[in-house]
Amino acid sequence: MRGSEPDDGGAATRPTRIHVVSDVHGNTEALARAGDGADALICLGDLVLFLDYADHSRGIFPDLFGVENADRIVALRTARRYDEARAFGRELWAGRDRNAEILGAVRRQYAELFAAFPTPTYATYGNVDVPDLWPEYTRPGTTVLDGERVEIGGRVFGFVGGGLRTPMNTPYEISDEEYAAKVEALGEVDVLCSHIPPEVPELTYDTVARRFERGSPALLEAIRTTRPRYALFGHVHQPLVRRMRIGATECVNVGHFASTGTPWALNW
């Protein structure tokens, strides 16, 4: 799936190439190269790395509490023992200023990540992002969109950021109703860009975590009714299916960029 994706349906005066990434999770080095050879970069969120489930030594959590505690919290969450995981987290945070320490670590990551964005970049939030902080780090050449549209190379791209509410309680989770309102606000677009996938079992199941992540019924309905050329998303790091067609729409998980370091490319 990685690499160039031909699309012969356009009639632009010159070829346009867009690179798309999602789930950056702290991979600043690869992000700095992600726009090479493209007219624009699209980032579908999850810039922050709180805890790397593949390497428990990486992220805000192990930096604060060590790898052994990271091993334990991952084991509890993977086993869906969320109440125990939350109780363990409360023990670790006892006597510490949780918000201040996490926000300080997030700020340090954002300073590096936003500096790595090429020009132009079009970005939306992931569920582990902190939208209130983005204005502090967004530089000229980076456009942040959420429930909004933009035209790139004669095509209309619509963006929906964040995730739906889960027991994980990540920073940018919203209600189904609020999420659906953002999807509806887009209207008809050529390319529907979101952090989470539409609610389709094959697209939401993570084969390593062995669980279904939350997908959006509103995105699925928009795909069926407005028929965009593409629906692009991330969030599910090891999906059962990375791409599938729903009617006229090619649905593509653009990849766990933190591990691949390779953007997905769209040409027309």
Side-chain angles (χ1 to χ4, degrees), residues 13-258:
T13 56
R14 69 174 185 82
T16 298
R17 181 179 178 91
I18 304 297
H19 286 179
V20 191
V21 302
S22 185
D23 299 85
V24 176
H25 293 303
N27 193 343
T28 307
E29 182 179 351
L31 184 62
R33 303 189 302 268
D36 291 355
D39 295 288
L41 176 71
I42 288 175
C43 178
L44 302 183
D46 271 11
L47 299 181
V48 171
L49 178 61
F50 188 74
L51 177 57
D52 189 334
Y53 278 55
D55 180 356
H56 302 169
S57 68
R58 298 181 64 244
I60 294 171
F61 188 95
D63 287 348
L64 293 173
F65 300 114
V67 176
E68 184 176 343
N69 286 323
D71 291 341
R72 183 177 175 188
I73 201 85
V74 168
L76 290 172
R77 290 178 175 176
T78 302
R80 302 184 182 88
R81 294 158 60 183
Y82 298 118
D83 289 341
E84 293 178 60
R86 283 190 285 268
F88 179 53
R90 286 193 294 268
E91 291 177 17
L92 293 175
W93 284 109
R96 305 177 66 157
D97 189 335
R98 175 178 180 142
N99 288 340
E101 292 193 49
I102 289 180
L103 286 179
V106 170
R107 287 179 187 277
R108 289 190 290 274
Q109 290 190 14
Y110 276 164
E112 295 182 0
L113 289 157
F114 276 86
F117 275 142
T119 297
T121 291
Y122 302 91
T124 196
Y125 317 110
N127 61 292
V128 302
D129 286 312
V130 184
D132 288 347
L133 294 183
W134 281 36
E136 298 181 30
Y137 300 96
T138 303
R139 305 183 306 168
T142 297
T143 303
V144 179
L145 303 116
D146 188 15
E148 300 165 284
R149 301 150 51 104
V150 67
E151 184 177 315
I152 307 172
R155 296 274 176 88
V156 177
F157 289 71
F159 291 78
V160 184
L164 297 173
R165 288 177 181 157
T166 72
M168 302 292 283
N169 195 31
T170 52
Y172 191 38
E173 294 181 0
I174 61 177
S175 69
D176 284 60
E177 293 77 16
E178 185 178 353
Y179 195 94
K182 292 194 295 184
V183 175
E184 184 177 4
L186 297 179
E188 294 187 6
V189 298
D190 296 305
V191 184
L192 178 58
C193 300
S194 59
H195 176 68
I196 63 174
E199 189 181 48
V200 177
E202 294 88 342
L203 299 175
T204 59
Y205 186 74
D206 190 305
T207 59
V208 173
R210 299 190 302 279
R211 65 169 182 258
F212 289 97
E213 301 289 353
R214 287 223 54 195
S216 167
L219 287 172
L220 181 58
E221 179 64 19
I223 289 168
R224 287 171 170 165
T225 58
T226 67
R227 299 165 59 86
R229 293 174 181 267
Y230 288 93
L232 308 179
F233 48 87
H235 187 56
V236 183
H237 293 174
Q238 294 89 200
L240 182 64
V241 174
R242 291 199 173 272
R243 64 188 299 164
M244 65 185 298
R245 182 168 289 276
I246 300 176
T249 303
E250 190 72 15
C251 300
V252 185
N253 184 318
V254 298
H256 182 195
F257 187 72

